[in-house]
Amino acid sequence: MMQKTDSYRFEPVARIWCSAVNTIFGLSRVYRLLQILSTASLLCIPGVVAVSGCAQAAAEGSPTNIQVGGKPRGLITVIPEKYDSTQRHRLIIAFHGRTNPAVRVRGYYDLERYAKTPTIFVYPRGVADAQGRFSWWVPGEGANELRAYALFDAIRARFMQDYCIGEIFLVGHSLGASIVNNLGCARGEFIRAIATVAGGTRRLTCSGLVAAMLIHNPDDRLVSIRFGRSARDHFLAYGGYTGTPQPEEFMGVGCVRHAEITGGFPLLWCLSDQDTTHRGRYYSHQWPSGTGQRVMAFARAG
C-alpha cells in the first residue's frame, strides 16, 4: 500500500491550497493527479499536515483519558516499553461494540502480540447508557456530525503532539466496526487503513481514500450482511475502483480484492464462515479466531 507521508512546515498554506484543489477536482481525482504531479503537490494528499511529537521527550505514563468537548473520555493506551521518540510509530485505534467494554475487546481483538513494527495502541471507551450499553453517537446526530469524530480528532491531536506518530489505522467490531467505517470516510484524509468485522456505515461525504479490510459473516443475525455490503459499496463508489475484482485467500479467509487506480488503497471484502465459538455455542456475529493476526498483517502491508 502507498504511504500517506507527513509534512509539518507548511500547514497554513497547505490547507488553503489543498482546499482549493479538492474543491475544484474532487478528492478522488486529486489522488490520481498526485501520481504525476511534483513533490510539492504531495502537501495536498489528505492526512499529510500534522503536528509532530518526534524527537521530544515522551509524556510520563500512558494517557488514561482525553478531553472531548470539555469532558473526560476514558482510554486504554499501550505504549511500547522501549518507546523511541526518534522513530515513527503506527497508531492503532480500536473501537469496541455496544456490549463489550474496551478492556474486554483488547483481549479478544488480540492485536498487540502481532505488532512487528513500533506501534502504539489506543482503546477508547464508549459512553454507556442506563442499561450499560455503549454508544459512539447520540440519536439524531447527522452522519457528518457524529460525536465519535470529535473523539477521534482529540486522540489524533494528542498523540501526534506527544508521540512520534506515522500512519493511523482503525479497527472495530459490530457497533465499533460501524463507527470505524464512518470514520474511514469522514476522516479518511488522516487514516491510512481500516479493518472491521460486522459493521455498516451511514451515507456521508468522504474526505480521503483509505485501504480497507471488511469482514462479515453472511449468516450474521445481529448485523445483516446487507449493511456490510452497503459499507463496501460506499467505499467502492467513492474510491474509483476499476478493473476486475480478484478472489484471494487471506490467511484462511476467502476474500475479494478490489484495487483502485493507484494500487495503494486496496479494499478486501472477506466472508467469514465461523459460526461456532470456542465453547461450541452458535454465534455468527463473533470476532473470528485469527482476525487479530489478519488485521495486523493487513496493516503491515503498508
Side-chain angles (χ1 to χ4, degrees):
M1 291 187 287
M2 184 178 68
Q3 290 186 339
K4 290 182 181 178
T5 56
D6 294 311
S7 176
Y8 305 106
R9 293 177 296 168
F10 308 106
E11 181 165 355
V13 174
R15 288 203 181 280
I16 295 171
W17 168 247
C18 293
S19 176
V21 172
N22 293 343
T23 298
I24 296 171
F25 295 106
L27 282 166
S28 60
R29 294 182 181 176
V30 169
Y31 276 95
R32 290 155 175 71
L33 290 171
L34 287 178
Q35 303 310 304
I36 57 174
L37 292 180
S38 65
T39 301
S41 293
L42 291 175
L43 289 172
C44 291
I45 298 177
V48 303
V49 179
V51 177
S52 175
C54 297
Q56 68 180 29
E60 293 186 8
S62 301
T64 57
N65 63 74
I66 195 165
Q67 292 291 317
V68 182
K71 297 180 180 179
R73 294 291 300 274
L75 306 170
I76 296 174
T77 304
V78 183
I79 308 294
E81 183 177 350
K82 297 181 179 180
Y83 170 75
D84 181 356
S85 66
T86 66
Q87 187 173 16
R88 292 207 179 275
H89 290 59
R90 291 186 171 179
L91 176 62
I92 295 183
I93 308 174
F95 290 79
H96 61 74
R98 190 178 301 279
T99 57
N100 292 317
V103 65
R104 185 172 181 184
V105 301
R106 180 189 175 190
Y108 80 71
Y109 280 8
D110 192 23
L111 303 170
E112 296 164 32
R113 64 175 169 147
Y114 298 111
K116 304 299 184 183
T117 57
T119 305
I120 292 174
F121 294 89
V122 176
Y123 303 86
R125 301 181 191 273
V127 177
D129 62 17
Q131 288 74 43
R133 296 171 300 187
F134 298 102
S135 179
W136 297 109
W137 60 77
V138 175
E141 288 181 331
N144 293 305
E145 301 171 345
L146 304 185
R147 66 179 176 183
Y149 301 163
L151 174 62
F152 169 80
D153 292 342
I155 292 173
R156 175 182 173 273
R158 169 79 176 274
F159 282 81
M160 294 294 289
Q161 175 179 309
D162 292 348
Y163 299 93
C164 191
I165 301 298
E167 297 174 324
I168 299 177
F169 297 79
L170 303 188
V171 181
H173 177 211
S174 191
L175 185 69
S178 294
I179 196 59
V180 167
N181 287 342
N182 278 275
L183 280 164
C185 184
R187 294 295 187 271
E189 59 192 295
F190 303 119
I191 297 166
R192 182 64 191 86
I194 64 172
T196 64
V197 175
T201 190
R202 301 173 71 174
R203 293 294 175 180
L204 68 162
T205 303
C206 294
S207 68
L209 293 176
V210 297
M213 180 168 67
L214 310 180
I215 303 173
H216 218 108
N217 189 317
D219 298 322
D220 195 320
R221 297 177 179 179
L222 294 182
V223 178
S224 169
I225 193 170
R226 68 184 177 89
F227 293 108
R229 290 185 181 126
S230 177
R232 175 201 63 189
D233 294 345
H234 190 61
F235 284 115
L236 289 176
Y238 174 77
Y241 290 82
T242 60
T244 303
Q246 297 298 314
E248 175 179 331
E249 183 173 316
F250 190 81
M251 302 179 67
V253 174
C255 303
V256 174
R257 178 180 290 268
H258 300 263
E260 45 72 55
I261 194 169
T262 71
F265 299 89
L267 187 151
L268 260 63
W269 168 247
C270 306
L271 298 180
S272 169
D273 60 0
Q274 187 171 329
D275 296 327
T276 307
T277 69
H278 67 282
R279 296 180 178 178
R281 181 171 69 94
Y282 180 85
Y283 188 55
S284 55
H285 188 63
Q286 66 186 287
W287 177 269
S289 59
T291 296
Q293 186 176 10
R294 294 183 191 101
V295 167
M296 296 305 290
F298 183 70
R300 287 197 303 276

